[in-house]
């Protein structure tokens, strides 16, 4: 939180100790998104995509509003590489990508079962075919959409394919990975433990 506050004091992001989840009707999203078109790289490319072909969508309104601050939002457009502190750089990148994702259309996909027949053997995979990535395109690597055995290739019924390899894998169950700070904060928020302003203090103690 200290690094986020430093970004706020330097004018990179809005006030970070807020629980507001809705924008005021007068908030000018298009002007802010247009400013990222001048930043070389993925921010520029995605901002341009958002502002064409009706790809922009007003962010959904959440429940919380402190009536004093907007949701955590980039306050100005810049190349994250110009931010010297690596932690600040990562926070700024996350804030920008989250904002742009919130202004994007929903991803579109289909849960499906793919059956592949080789000679007399059938192989079945259950997963997801993503038809339109939309917000998933910018919000990597923090969010991936998958079910079952993960993302499946887009194929039509009756298609013929040529396998590039056939591999028999041995495996065994393994214990879950250690919980990350992001996952811990998400679980605390979901279970009503602390607020945005006190979660860091709870984790420390």
């Amino acid at each position: 939180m200290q690094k986020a506050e430093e970004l706020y004091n330097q004018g990179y992001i809005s006030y970070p100790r807020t629980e507001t989840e809705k924008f005021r009707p007068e908030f000018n999203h298009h002007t802010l998104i247009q400013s990222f078109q001048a930043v070389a790289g993925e921010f520029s490319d995605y901002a341009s995509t958002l502002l064409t072909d009706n790809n922009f969508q007003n962010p959904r309104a959440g429940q919380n509003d402190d009536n004093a601050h907007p949701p955590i939002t980039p306050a100005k457009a810049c190349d994250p590489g110009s931010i010297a502190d690596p932690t600040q750089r990562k926070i700024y990148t996350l804030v920008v990508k989250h904002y742009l994702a919130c202004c994007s259309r929903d991803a579109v996909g289909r849960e499906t079962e793919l059956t592949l027949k080789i000679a007399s053997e059938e192989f079945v995979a259950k997963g997801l075919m993503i038809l339109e990535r939309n917000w998933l395109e910018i919000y990597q690597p923090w969010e991936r959409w998958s079910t079952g055995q993960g993302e499946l290739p887009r194929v039509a019924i009756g298609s013929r394919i040529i396998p590039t390899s056939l591999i028999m894998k041995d495996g065994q169950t393994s214990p879950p990975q250690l919980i990350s700070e992001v996952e811990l904060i998400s679980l605390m928020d979901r279970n009503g433990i602390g607020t945005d302003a006190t979660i860091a203090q709870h984790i420390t103690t």
Side-chain angles (χ1 to χ4, degrees), residues 171-176:
Q172 62 185 25
T173 59
S174 58

Side-chain angles (χ1 to χ4, degrees), residues 25 27 47-48 63 71 81 86 95 104 111 116 119 134 153 162 188 190-191:
F27 191 95
S48 297
Q63 296 297 319
V95 170
S104 305
E111 289 189 28
L116 178 66
N134 296 330
I162 300 176
M188 291 174 69
R190 194 179 309 155
N191 291 279

